[in-house]
């Protein structure tokens, strides 16, 4: 393919952009939507968890890290979120959305481990998602465990291990059925 550049010169496209439409969610019901949660580490005041609802409010951040949908933590310590689904639920998919913006020190987590519990104290690990290979682009990335069978619980825990002593930004966590 080719295009006309400045001065009417024909320019060959060397690296065409590709756009894809993500598939519709396989599991339509987000059990975590609007549900309360706790965090073992508070978000940084410069990138806060406004009102303590950003993780489950259903509002997705743009690629701009200053978008208020993102909450950020600058640490190398593991931290977690625990979402209370209000009752035991059958869960088919667990996922959370993270941001990479390397030029300002925001990196995807090294891993996110998902666990469930019926009492909020004794958790069973469902699975771990490791950092995807996404290159150096500024982008959001989902950490997803899907097609779960025989997984039920009232509480969902996301244990986050940062890649390095840097920022991690998250905007949503979902438990789907």
């Amino acid at each position: 393919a080719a295009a006309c550049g400045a001065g009417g010169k024909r320019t060959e496209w060397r690296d065409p952009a590709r756009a894809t439409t993500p598939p519709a969610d396989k599991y339509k019901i987000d059990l975590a939507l609007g549900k309360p949660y706790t965090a073992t580490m508070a978000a940084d005041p410069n990138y806060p968890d406004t009102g303590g609802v950003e993780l489950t409010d259903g509002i997705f951040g743009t690629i701009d890290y200053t978008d208020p949908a993102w909450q950020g933590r600058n640490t190398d310590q593991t931290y977690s979120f625990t979402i209370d689904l209000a009752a035991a639920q059958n869960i088919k998919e667990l996922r959370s959305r993270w941001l990479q913006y390397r030029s300002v020190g925001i990196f995807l987590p090294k891993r996110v481990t998902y666990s469930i519990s019926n009492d909020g104290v004794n958790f069973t690990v469902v699975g771990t998602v490791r950092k995807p290979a996404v290159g150096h682009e500024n982008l959001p990335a989902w950490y997803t465990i899907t097609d779960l069978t025989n997984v039920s619980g009232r509480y969902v825990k996301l244990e986050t291990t940062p890649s390095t002593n840097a920022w991690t930004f998250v905007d949503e966590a979902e438990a789907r059925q």
Side-chain angles (χ1 to χ4, degrees), residues 102-138:
R102 296 173 66 96
S103 64
V104 294
I106 300 170
F107 294 90
L108 294 173
K110 182 177 184 177
R111 68 180 163 269
V112 175
T113 299
Y114 295 97
S115 304
I116 57 153
S117 170
N118 283 316
D119 61 10
V121 176
N122 302 297
F123 283 84
T124 301
V125 172
V126 175
T128 296
V129 180
R130 301 208 178 276
K131 177 184 171 187
V134 295
H136 295 287
E137 295 178 61
N138 298 332

Side-chain angles (χ1 to χ4, degrees), residues 150-167:
N150 300 317
V151 173
S152 177
R154 175 178 173 169
Y155 299 92
V156 174
K157 183 190 284 187
L158 295 76
E159 187 174 85
T160 306
T161 304
S163 292
T164 182
N165 189 16
W167 289 97

Side-chain angles (χ1 to χ4, degrees), residues 32-104:
L33 186 63
K35 297 296 191 289
Y37 58 90
T38 58
T40 59
M41 178 183 292
D44 187 276
N46 292 315
Y47 306 102
D49 180 6
T50 308
V53 299
E54 287 181 359
L55 193 65
T56 60
D57 65 3
I59 300 171
F60 298 98
T62 63
I63 295 176
D64 180 356
Y65 67 92
T66 65
D67 184 320
W70 295 106
Q71 55 175 289
R73 288 160 181 81
N74 190 356
T75 186
D76 63 351
Q77 300 298 306
T78 298
Y79 61 92
S80 64
F81 300 97
T82 302
I83 304 167
D84 183 351
L85 301 177
Q89 302 281 345
N90 290 322
I91 300 167
K92 295 292 185 182
E93 184 174 80
L94 294 167
R95 65 189 200 160
S96 53
R97 190 167 177 257
W98 300 85
L99 181 65
Q100 173 174 277
Y101 207 108
R102 296 173 66 96
S103 64
V104 294

